Structures are given as structure tokens and as C-alpha cells.
Amino acid sequence: MTQVPRGRFITVEGQDGAGKTTNLSVIRDALERSGIPIVQSREPGGTPWGEALRELILNYRDTDIVPTAELLTIFAARAQHIHQVIAPALSAGKWVLCDRFTDATYAYQGGGRGISLDAIALLEHMVQGQLQPDLTLLFDVDIDTGNARAQQRSTADRFESEQASFKQAVRTRYLTIAKQNPQRVKVIDASQPLEQVVREVRSQVNDFIRKVVGE
Ligand code: T5A
């Protein structure tokens, strides 16, 4: 019987400026060296409609956006992203590498905005069904270092403009998620020099590839 291929789903997470985007190319390179076909994407976004929503989510500033509206918009973009990009790629045996996914919703909308975990879990179930990342690299860095790095790079979006207490709550929630899901979520100490971070990222990804190939 022909074996139906099943891709794997890898996500990167962390506070703003932790170094996720910088390390995506390292992960991509490790996968490509192993001959793994990949699709790279990001959230919010990943589809033309989702990218339009991303612009609203990150940069719309004319009025206060209520947390529930923000949450629903993020899951709207995610529903389209899963339907149009993630699920078809995984079914075709490709690996999906995504810059943020639902852990970010638990961290930012749950930890940061204070929305209940039950409300997020309800939408997660509705939009994703059983779909979960197979591996998540969480780039963890203290708030001041994250702020300084994010400022180097671009003007602040709605989340980067938040108070230190919001950012601390985001970080705390991420670390809680990692503690609760030690098999899936690997914490990278992103305060280290970039060369050391890159070494750890390569090592985590190569371990994961070996594990999958050995299954
Ligand atoms: N969001 C998202 C939600 O609220 N809910 C959700 O459900 C989802 C999916 C998305 C925003 O949306 C929110 C969270 C986010 O605020 P984003 O583009 O993912 O926006 O957000 P950022 O975290 O801001 O992503 P960035 O690409 O801007 O930051 P990165 O990727 O963490 O950092 P990076 O790699 O760009 O690095 C920043 C700078 O630091 C340097 C880099 O060279 C760069 O200049 N750097 C280092 N310097 C020294 N040592 C190291 N180890 C370094 N690593 C990187």
C-alpha cells in the first residue's frame, strides 16, 4: 500500500525582538540540507487576505481595538491560513515553517490582553481541530533586550508599543506554555550572542529531523 506522506509543522515564537525572524533562515537551511520540501509562512498573515488583516492587527491606530475583536480577527486570518496554506502543504508531505502560531495568541491575547484561556481554547478547537505544531522553538529574552533589538529594526507596531507589564505577561505566558509542553516546545536562550543561538537552533532542528526520520 502506498504510504500517504505527512509533513511536519514547525513554529517559532517569542517576544518582539527576540530573534525569531533572524533564525528562520537557519531552520530553513537545516531542513533544506536534509532534502525536506518546505513551505515558509507567518502569522498573522500567510495568505493575501490574512496579510491585509495583519496590517489592521499590527498597525491600525485610529481607535481602541477591543481585545475580543483583536482575538477574532487573528483567528479569522488563521482559519484562512490553515485552509489555504498549512493543511494542503502538510497533506502533500511538505514541512511547514511558520513565524508564530496559536502559542502567540495564548501569550499576547491571553497573557497580554487578559482574555481567558477557555475563550482562546474554544476558538483554537473551532479553527484548528486537532492541528498542532510538531516542534516549536521559543526564543526567550528579557524585556529590555527584546525592546532594544526591536527598536534597532523598525518602528514600533501596536504590540511593540505596549507597556513593560504587557510584555512581561507575554513572556511569562510563553514560558508557562513551554513548561506545560516540554516535548513540543524547546526554549532557546536568545539573550546569548547570535552565533551561540544559531548553534542551539541548528542542534534542536537536526535532533528533530533525526527523530522524525527514525520513526
Ligand atoms: N501576534 C501574533 C499576536 O498578538 N497574536 C497572535 O496570535 C500572533 C500570531 C507579529 C505581532 O503580532 C502579534 C505578536 C507580534 O507583536 P512579528 O513580525 O512576528 O509581528 O513580530 P516581532 O516579534 O516584532 O517579529 P520581529 O521579526 O519584528 O522580531 P524577531 O523576529 O523576534 O527579531 P529579529 O530576528 O527581527 O531580530 C531583531 C534584531 O535583533 C538582532 C537582529 O539582527 C535584528 O536586528 N538579533 C540579535 N542581536 C544580538 N544577539 C542576538 N542573539 C540576536 N538575535 C537577533
Side-chain angles (χ1 to χ4, degrees):
M1 193 168 68
T2 311
Q3 189 80 28
V4 178
R6 188 174 78 79
R8 295 295 189 279
F9 186 21
I10 300 178
T11 58
V12 295
E13 297 281 359
Q15 308 105 266
D16 300 283
K20 296 172 291 88
T21 308
T22 305
N23 284 285
L24 277 170
S25 59
V26 176
I27 302 172
R28 193 185 174 108
D29 183 58
L31 296 173
E32 285 176 345
R33 278 169 189 269
S34 298
I36 293 168
I38 67 167
V39 169
Q40 187 175 331
S41 197
R42 68 174 182 180
E43 290 213 351
T47 66
W49 190 65
E51 290 291 325
L53 293 178
R54 176 187 174 96
E55 184 53 30
L56 291 175
I57 295 163
L58 266 57
N59 294 319
Y60 192 83
R61 289 171 195 263
D62 286 356
T63 186
D64 279 343
I65 314 294
V66 292
T68 310
E70 183 179 279
L71 175 73
L72 291 170
T73 312
I74 285 167
F75 268 108
R78 183 165 297 140
Q80 189 64 26
H81 190 206
I82 292 170
H83 171 77
Q84 202 175 327
V85 177
I86 299 175
L90 293 174
S91 312
K94 295 179 181 161
W95 288 34
V96 176
L97 173 57
C98 194
D99 192 345
R100 299 191 186 276
F101 195 60
T102 306
D103 291 327
T105 314
Y106 280 103
Y108 284 79
Q109 281 64 50
R113 302 276 189 235
I115 294 178
S116 81
L117 300 188
D118 287 349
I120 298 173
L122 190 72
L123 290 169
E124 178 183 30
H125 182 67
M126 181 190 293
V127 167
Q128 291 168 226
Q130 300 300 312
L131 176 69
Q132 291 292 335
D134 299 292
L135 171 69
T136 298
L137 298 185
L138 171 57
F139 292 84
D140 178 59
V141 75
D142 63 274
I143 305 304
D144 290 342
T145 306
N147 281 345
R149 288 187 192 162
Q151 277 162 15
Q152 274 174 29
R153 196 214 42 223
S154 60
T155 48
D157 63 29
R158 286 178 57 246
F159 300 100
E160 288 163 350
S161 310
E162 285 290 345
Q163 307 287 322
S165 57
F166 177 97
K167 294 178 182 180
Q168 190 55 54
V170 168
R171 183 184 188 199
T172 302
R173 181 59 55 85
Y174 265 136
L175 291 173
T176 303
I177 293 169
K179 214 167 171 187
Q180 291 169 341
N181 300 274
Q183 294 299 323
R184 170 175 70 87
V185 183
K186 307 298 176 193
V187 181
I188 307 280
D189 176 0
S191 64
Q192 303 174 99
L194 188 55
E195 311 78 67
Q196 180 60 27
V197 173
V198 165
R199 263 198 295 278
E200 283 191 26
V201 169
R202 266 201 206 108
S203 158
Q204 289 289 354
V205 175
N206 286 330
D207 280 356
F208 181 72
I209 294 171
R210 273 194 293 275
K211 201 177 96 194
V212 171
V213 169
E215 278 173 0

